[in-house]
Amino acid sequence: MKFETLLKNIIKYNSDLNDLKMIKSAYSLAESLHKDQTRQSGEPYIIHPLFVASILAEMRADKDTICAGLLHDTIEDSNITKEEIAEQFNEDVSNLVDGVTKISKLNFSSKDEQRLANTRKIITSITDDVRIIIIKLADRLHNMQTLSFKSEFKQKENALETMEIFVPLAYYIGAYQIKSELEDLSLRYLKPDMYKSIEEKQMKVQIDSENSLSEMLQKIQRLLNDKNIPNELKVRTKNIYGIYKRISEGFKLADIHDLLALKIILEDVENCYKVLGIVHQQYHPINDKFKDYICNPKTNMYKSLHTTVFAPDDRLVQTQIRTDEMDQIAAYGLTAHWDINKGQARNLMQKDLTEKYQFFKSLVEINTMFGDNQEFVAQVKKELLTGKVYIYTTRGDIIELPAGATVIDFAYKIHTDIGNTMVGATVNEEHVAIDYILRNKDRVRIITDDLSFGPRVDWLDKAQTSYAKKKIKEFNRR
Ligand code: MN
């Protein structure tokens, strides 16, 4: 990895000479500060920040993020300070570098406490500037890619932390490309035998399905070209971890309905629905595997039409029909703004995060409620980083809640007043108790009465989310 290679990749999307000059000087500074350091592989240390910056360049990151990627380990590993970076570059670069820098050991009495404080710092950095978490994800990705040089204990420890913290964070911001690579790398170290056997199966599937997929691809392409619908088609196989998860749920390889996918990328939404019709006329769809994520986007803003069809050779193929912009968001999530909205990306990313992404409000809430780092990390793991359920409101909106959440949590997530005046609820048109544990895809209607006595103290034990508990406590204090 050379700086020239990085530069070449940046020039593809940003040729501003001042930006390039600044990136060059960030590189020179990083190189001189890491001069005498080597990685465990024996290579000069600068290789690592270079790779991190090039992962960011692949996402078309802005100049400040690239500079911060190059400088991300300098505060930790050399004598340079945050203030000096601000002076030589700007406040943004220095805040980003400071954001990814671990809190010093000197502030803590034990390694465990330091680890918890750093985990908290990573997770909450999203509320200041989402670009911090993106640099951290790129950093983690390169560290996972080069994990073979570490001890077996370190490998497992890092892989576990990656699965527990970084994979869910990548999912929340919709960065599927990094997410699936992190998953595969983690599985490789956590369950090496399993990884190898699935990797072989995946390869065999790719070879066996090649003819049938290319037949399908060519046929669809011909149909679309005949109808003058501009298109781009891509084939993808499910990632190794994704296959592993399905197999451990009891599925056989041939029954994984999205093992193989054909992506159909189009110019506009209207064509997406038109092409859906064309696909269904050629290939039989499985009725309950059709998903309209264009009208009902996922809570991480993923949009696409999905329909699994019987392809040639009776193979199941999931077709993913979407626009170019949706495809960008599918790969890079929130960071797709870098490419789509150029100069305004940074503000739009933070604005979207606060307004559209449901996990954000919960995270802010947990952060204000739990002063103790251990409690904070435990609550985030329980409420945000593990299983989730997706619940429909009566209007068809989708609400994201932690698995185990009850009707009470749902009511408060909709609105505090709804929670405070709730007297009953129906789930899928049936009356239920307010401590009913919600299941994926439940349709919930909350019955309110302005004359209700308000939430009882015993609701505290029946609620799972920090937000509901806080509001119940507040009401009962009044
Ligand atoms: Mn690093």
Side-chain angles (χ1 to χ4, degrees), residues 437-452:
I437 293 172
L438 295 165
R439 282 175 309 189
N440 219 11
K441 296 180 191 162
D442 275 345
R443 249 176 323 115
V444 182
R445 181 188 303 276
I446 302 293
I447 303 159
T448 58
D449 185 339
D450 290 341
L451 300 175
S452 86

Side-chain angles (χ1 to χ4, degrees), residues 46-278:
I46 189 69
I47 292 282
H48 168 63
L50 259 179
F51 265 106
V52 170
S54 75
I55 293 168
L56 293 164
E58 222 171 283
M59 298 186 231
R60 314 201 154 216
D62 57 49
K63 64 163 191 328
D64 292 340
T65 308
I66 299 281
C67 289
L70 287 166
L71 294 164
H72 81 271
D73 277 328
T74 56
I75 295 184
E76 216 167 293
D77 297 342
S78 77
N79 293 324
I80 199 163
T81 62
K82 187 186 171 194
E83 291 69 29
E84 285 166 328
I85 293 179
E87 237 169 77
Q88 288 190 45
F89 298 89
N90 60 42
E91 286 288 329
D92 265 28
V93 175
S94 86
N95 283 337
L96 291 171
V97 176
D98 186 56
V100 295
T101 302
K102 276 193 193 133
I103 307 172
S104 153
K105 281 190 209 79
L106 302 172
N107 299 329
F108 300 97
S109 52
S110 78
K111 229 186 136 130
D112 243 19
E113 275 179 51
Q114 188 205 10
R115 194 177 45 81
L116 286 164
N118 279 317
T119 304
R120 179 178 203 151
K121 192 183 170 199
I122 295 165
I123 297 170
T124 53
S125 70
I126 249 180
T127 59
D128 299 326
D129 189 335
V130 65
R131 294 178 300 174
I132 296 172
I133 202 75
I134 294 158
I135 299 169
K136 210 60 206 173
L137 285 169
D139 179 38
R140 178 51 62 121
L141 181 58
H142 185 242
N143 284 334
M144 291 298 294
Q145 285 166 344
T146 50
L147 208 52
S148 60
F149 299 100
K150 299 258 181 195
S151 70
E152 198 185 321
F153 178 78
K154 269 273 165 211
Q155 289 173 347
K156 290 224 153 59
E157 193 182 53
N158 281 349
L160 210 57
E161 189 187 45
T162 300
M163 284 307 296
E164 268 188 5
I165 308 223
F166 292 93
V167 165
L169 287 176
Y171 173 80
Y172 273 125
I173 62 166
Y176 282 98
Q177 194 158 306
I178 286 194
K179 173 185 168 272
S180 52
E181 208 175 328
L182 286 176
E183 284 174 339
D184 283 1
L185 286 162
S186 301
L187 187 67
R188 191 161 132 195
Y189 291 101
L190 290 172
K191 293 185 190 277
D193 296 339
M194 180 65 86
Y195 179 88
K196 244 180 238 136
S197 96
I198 295 178
E199 191 184 32
E200 278 162 23
K201 286 191 184 116
Q202 189 203 39
M203 220 128 54
K204 191 171 177 311
V205 165
Q206 273 166 354
I207 295 166
D208 292 351
S209 63
E210 214 184 313
N211 289 338
S212 124
L213 273 172
S214 81
E215 185 189 325
M216 183 177 174
L217 187 145
Q218 282 165 22
K219 187 166 180 181
I220 291 178
Q221 201 155 46
R222 211 175 323 115
L223 284 164
L224 300 191
N225 292 346
D226 286 349
K227 292 188 197 306
N228 289 318
I229 301 174
N231 64 81
E232 189 191 344
L233 303 186
K234 290 181 201 159
V235 170
R236 82 109 182 85
T237 315
K238 203 174 180 65
N239 73 333
I240 294 175
Y241 180 82
I243 299 173
Y244 160 72
K245 232 179 98 188
R246 286 282 177 238
I247 288 177
S248 50
E249 285 162 5
F251 283 90
K252 288 205 187 71
L253 204 61
D255 298 334
I256 301 176
H257 76 98
D258 57 352
L259 183 64
L260 301 165
L262 179 65
K263 289 202 275 181
I264 308 178
I265 299 155
L266 304 160
E267 277 184 332
D268 54 37
V269 171
E270 210 187 316
N271 275 338
C272 291
Y273 289 99
K274 209 189 271 179
V275 170
L276 175 71
I278 294 171

